[in-house]
Amino acid sequence: GSAAAGPSDASEQPPASKKARTEAGAQVVEEIRQADSAREVPEISEQRYKHFKNLLYKLVQEKYQAQSLELDVILKFFEKTEKNQPFSQAEIETILDKMQDENKLMRS
């Protein structure tokens, strides 16, 4: 007996559950993109920008001249360190983007 694949060959179409997962994943990615592009970009004063860079430098020193830091490590450090005028996550993201534009750091 030979096995011949007929029109009901399962390899032609992904299973419905896999297709639904792929479409759901694409939807989540699109929502993230929209949220990112709609993200409010806060206005950062030069003084606040310099303060952020000084604190970030301090964090790198504390982490023994770290070459890379996870974003959550940075967020927790700023939350713990800057009590008077805490940086919002939007401010941190904006400043990190600005620093990348100035080639002061690289985000990955």
Side-chain angles (χ1 to χ4, degrees), residues 32-42 89-95 97 107:
I32 291 170
R33 271 200 206 115
Q34 288 173 356
D36 200 41
S37 64
R39 175 169 54 106
E40 288 281 322
V41 179
Q89 184 162 350
E91 283 181 301
I92 291 171
E93 295 274 348
T94 300
I95 292 171
D97 288 344
R107 295 184 73 174

Side-chain angles (χ1 to χ4, degrees), residues 69-83:
L69 295 166
E70 297 290 326
L71 184 59
D72 64 321
V73 171
I74 295 170
L75 294 174
K76 285 178 184 151
F77 175 79
F78 276 90
E79 192 177 293
K80 179 183 76 176
T81 307
E82 184 51 58
K83 299 286 187 192

